[in-house]
Short mmCIF file of all heavy atoms in Angstrom, two decimals:
data_model
loop_
_atom_site.label_atom_id
_atom_site.label_comp_id
_atom_site.label_asym_id
_atom_site.label_seq_id
_atom_site.Cartn_x
_atom_site.Cartn_y
_atom_site.Cartn_z
N ALA B 1 81.06 129.16 98.14
CA ALA B 1 81.95 129.93 97.29
C ALA B 1 83.00 128.99 96.67
O ALA B 1 83.67 128.26 97.38
CB ALA B 1 82.64 131.01 98.08
N ALA B 2 83.12 129.05 95.34
CA ALA B 2 84.06 128.21 94.62
C ALA B 2 85.24 129.04 94.17
O ALA B 2 85.10 130.19 93.74
CB ALA B 2 83.38 127.57 93.40
N SER B 3 86.41 128.45 94.27
CA SER B 3 87.63 129.14 93.81
C SER B 3 88.59 128.10 93.24
O SER B 3 88.44 126.90 93.44
CB SER B 3 88.29 129.90 94.97
OG SER B 3 88.68 129.03 95.98
N GLY B 4 89.60 128.61 92.52
CA GLY B 4 90.57 127.73 91.92
C GLY B 4 90.04 127.09 90.64
O GLY B 4 89.01 127.49 90.13
N SER B 5 90.75 126.11 90.17
CA SER B 5 90.33 125.38 88.98
C SER B 5 90.90 123.99 89.01
O SER B 5 91.85 123.71 89.72
CB SER B 5 90.78 126.12 87.71
OG SER B 5 92.20 126.13 87.65
N ALA B 6 90.26 123.12 88.25
CA ALA B 6 90.75 121.75 88.14
C ALA B 6 91.00 121.46 86.65
O ALA B 6 90.10 121.66 85.83
CB ALA B 6 89.71 120.79 88.70
N SER B 7 92.20 121.06 86.35
CA SER B 7 92.59 120.78 84.96
C SER B 7 92.33 122.00 84.07
O SER B 7 91.93 121.88 82.91
CB SER B 7 91.82 119.58 84.40
OG SER B 7 92.10 118.44 85.19
N GLY B 8 92.51 123.19 84.65
CA GLY B 8 92.33 124.43 83.90
C GLY B 8 90.89 124.85 83.72
O GLY B 8 90.62 125.87 83.06
N LEU B 9 89.95 124.13 84.31
CA LEU B 9 88.53 124.45 84.16
C LEU B 9 88.02 125.11 85.42
O LEU B 9 88.16 124.59 86.53
CB LEU B 9 87.74 123.17 83.88
CG LEU B 9 88.19 122.46 82.59
CD1 LEU B 9 87.43 121.14 82.46
CD2 LEU B 9 87.96 123.32 81.37
N SER B 10 87.40 126.28 85.26
CA SER B 10 86.93 127.04 86.40
C SER B 10 85.60 126.49 86.94
O SER B 10 85.03 125.54 86.40
CB SER B 10 86.73 128.50 85.99
OG SER B 10 85.63 128.59 85.10
N ALA B 11 85.12 127.13 87.99
CA ALA B 11 83.88 126.70 88.64
C ALA B 11 82.69 126.77 87.69
O ALA B 11 81.67 126.10 87.91
CB ALA B 11 83.61 127.58 89.86
N ASP B 12 82.81 127.54 86.64
CA ASP B 12 81.69 127.64 85.66
C ASP B 12 81.41 126.31 84.99
O ASP B 12 80.31 126.12 84.43
CB ASP B 12 82.05 128.67 84.60
CG ASP B 12 80.90 128.91 83.64
OD1 ASP B 12 79.78 129.20 84.11
OD2 ASP B 12 81.07 128.75 82.42
N TYR B 13 82.33 125.37 85.04
CA TYR B 13 82.14 124.07 84.40
C TYR B 13 81.51 123.03 85.34
O TYR B 13 81.47 121.85 85.02
CB TYR B 13 83.48 123.54 83.89
CG TYR B 13 83.94 124.21 82.63
CD1 TYR B 13 84.68 125.40 82.70
CD2 TYR B 13 83.63 123.70 81.38
CE1 TYR B 13 85.09 126.03 81.53
CE2 TYR B 13 84.05 124.33 80.22
CZ TYR B 13 84.76 125.50 80.30
OH TYR B 13 85.20 126.13 79.16
N TYR B 14 81.03 123.48 86.47
CA TYR B 14 80.53 122.55 87.46
C TYR B 14 79.09 122.87 87.86
O TYR B 14 78.75 124.01 88.15
CB TYR B 14 81.38 122.60 88.71
CG TYR B 14 82.78 122.05 88.49
CD1 TYR B 14 83.76 122.86 87.94
CD2 TYR B 14 83.09 120.73 88.80
CE1 TYR B 14 85.04 122.36 87.70
CE2 TYR B 14 84.36 120.23 88.57
CZ TYR B 14 85.33 121.04 88.01
OH TYR B 14 86.57 120.53 87.79
N ALA B 15 78.26 121.83 87.83
CA ALA B 15 76.98 121.92 88.51
C ALA B 15 77.24 121.77 90.01
O ALA B 15 78.21 121.12 90.40
CB ALA B 15 76.04 120.81 88.03
N ILE B 16 76.39 122.34 90.83
CA ILE B 16 76.62 122.36 92.27
C ILE B 16 75.44 121.71 92.99
O ILE B 16 74.28 121.95 92.66
CB ILE B 16 76.80 123.79 92.78
CG1 ILE B 16 77.98 124.48 92.10
CG2 ILE B 16 77.00 123.80 94.32
CD1 ILE B 16 79.34 123.89 92.39
N GLY B 17 75.78 120.92 93.98
CA GLY B 17 74.74 120.29 94.81
C GLY B 17 74.94 120.59 96.27
O GLY B 17 76.06 120.91 96.70
N TRP B 18 73.87 120.54 97.03
CA TRP B 18 73.91 120.64 98.48
C TRP B 18 73.47 119.29 99.08
O TRP B 18 72.48 118.70 98.65
CB TRP B 18 72.99 121.73 99.00
CG TRP B 18 73.49 123.12 98.83
CD1 TRP B 18 73.18 124.01 97.82
CD2 TRP B 18 74.38 123.80 99.70
NE1 TRP B 18 73.84 125.19 98.02
CE2 TRP B 18 74.59 125.10 99.16
CE3 TRP B 18 75.05 123.46 100.89
CZ2 TRP B 18 75.40 126.04 99.76
CZ3 TRP B 18 75.88 124.42 101.48
CH2 TRP B 18 76.04 125.68 100.92
N PHE B 19 74.22 118.86 100.06
CA PHE B 19 73.94 117.63 100.78
C PHE B 19 73.90 117.95 102.27
O PHE B 19 74.39 118.98 102.71
CB PHE B 19 75.02 116.57 100.51
CG PHE B 19 75.00 116.03 99.10
CD1 PHE B 19 75.50 116.78 98.05
CD2 PHE B 19 74.51 114.78 98.83
CE1 PHE B 19 75.46 116.30 96.76
CE2 PHE B 19 74.48 114.29 97.55
CZ PHE B 19 74.96 115.05 96.51
N ARG B 20 73.38 117.03 103.03
CA ARG B 20 73.42 117.20 104.49
C ARG B 20 73.54 115.83 105.15
O ARG B 20 73.12 114.81 104.60
CB ARG B 20 72.16 117.92 104.99
CG ARG B 20 70.85 117.16 104.81
CD ARG B 20 69.69 118.03 105.23
NE ARG B 20 68.41 117.32 105.10
CZ ARG B 20 67.22 117.91 105.30
NH1 ARG B 20 67.14 119.20 105.60
NH2 ARG B 20 66.11 117.19 105.17
N GLN B 21 74.10 115.86 106.36
CA GLN B 21 74.25 114.64 107.15
C GLN B 21 73.92 114.93 108.59
O GLN B 21 74.61 115.75 109.24
CB GLN B 21 75.67 114.08 107.02
CG GLN B 21 75.83 112.72 107.68
CD GLN B 21 77.11 112.03 107.26
OE1 GLN B 21 78.06 112.67 106.87
NE2 GLN B 21 77.13 110.70 107.40
N ALA B 22 72.88 114.30 109.06
CA ALA B 22 72.48 114.42 110.46
C ALA B 22 73.20 113.35 111.29
O ALA B 22 73.62 112.33 110.73
CB ALA B 22 70.98 114.26 110.57
N PRO B 23 73.35 113.57 112.59
CA PRO B 23 74.03 112.59 113.45
C PRO B 23 73.38 111.21 113.34
O PRO B 23 72.17 111.08 113.44
CB PRO B 23 73.88 113.18 114.83
CG PRO B 23 73.72 114.63 114.63
CD PRO B 23 72.96 114.78 113.35
N GLY B 24 74.21 110.21 113.09
CA GLY B 24 73.71 108.85 113.01
C GLY B 24 73.00 108.48 111.73
O GLY B 24 72.46 107.38 111.61
N LYS B 25 73.01 109.39 110.77
CA LYS B 25 72.31 109.13 109.50
C LYS B 25 73.29 109.26 108.33
O LYS B 25 74.35 109.85 108.44
CB LYS B 25 71.16 110.10 109.32
CG LYS B 25 70.04 109.94 110.34
CD LYS B 25 68.86 110.82 109.97
CE LYS B 25 67.69 110.62 110.93
NZ LYS B 25 66.51 111.43 110.58
N GLU B 26 72.89 108.68 107.22
CA GLU B 26 73.70 108.79 106.02
C GLU B 26 73.53 110.17 105.39
O GLU B 26 72.51 110.84 105.59
CB GLU B 26 73.28 107.71 105.01
CG GLU B 26 73.59 106.29 105.43
CD GLU B 26 73.33 105.27 104.35
OE1 GLU B 26 72.77 105.66 103.30
OE2 GLU B 26 73.65 104.09 104.56
N ARG B 27 74.53 110.55 104.65
CA ARG B 27 74.45 111.83 103.94
C ARG B 27 73.36 111.73 102.86
O ARG B 27 73.26 110.73 102.15
CB ARG B 27 75.79 112.18 103.32
CG ARG B 27 75.84 113.58 102.74
CD ARG B 27 77.28 114.10 102.67
NE ARG B 27 78.17 113.24 101.91
CZ ARG B 27 79.47 113.42 101.85
NH1 ARG B 27 80.05 114.42 102.50
NH2 ARG B 27 80.23 112.61 101.13
N GLU B 28 72.56 112.79 102.73
CA GLU B 28 71.49 112.81 101.75
C GLU B 28 71.56 114.05 100.88
O GLU B 28 71.99 115.12 101.31
CB GLU B 28 70.11 112.74 102.44
CG GLU B 28 69.80 113.94 103.32
CD GLU B 28 68.37 113.95 103.81
OE1 GLU B 28 67.53 113.21 103.26
OE2 GLU B 28 68.08 114.72 104.76
N GLY B 29 71.13 113.89 99.66
CA GLY B 29 71.08 115.03 98.73
C GLY B 29 69.93 115.94 99.06
O GLY B 29 68.82 115.48 99.38
#
C-alpha cells in the first residue's frame, strides 16, 4: 500500500517492484 507523495507526485507516478532477500543471500528482484 502506497501513501503520501514525493515532490507533489502521488503513487500513480511510480512503477512498483517486489524484491526478496533470503538469509545469507543478496536481495533479488
Side-chain angles (χ1 to χ4, degrees):
S3 62
S5 65
S7 300
L9 300 174
S10 69
D12 184 54
Y13 284 86
Y14 292 83
I16 301 294
W18 283 98
F19 290 76
R20 66 185 181 186
Q21 187 167 23
K25 295 188 177 181
E26 292 187 355
R27 188 157 56 188
E28 64 171 344

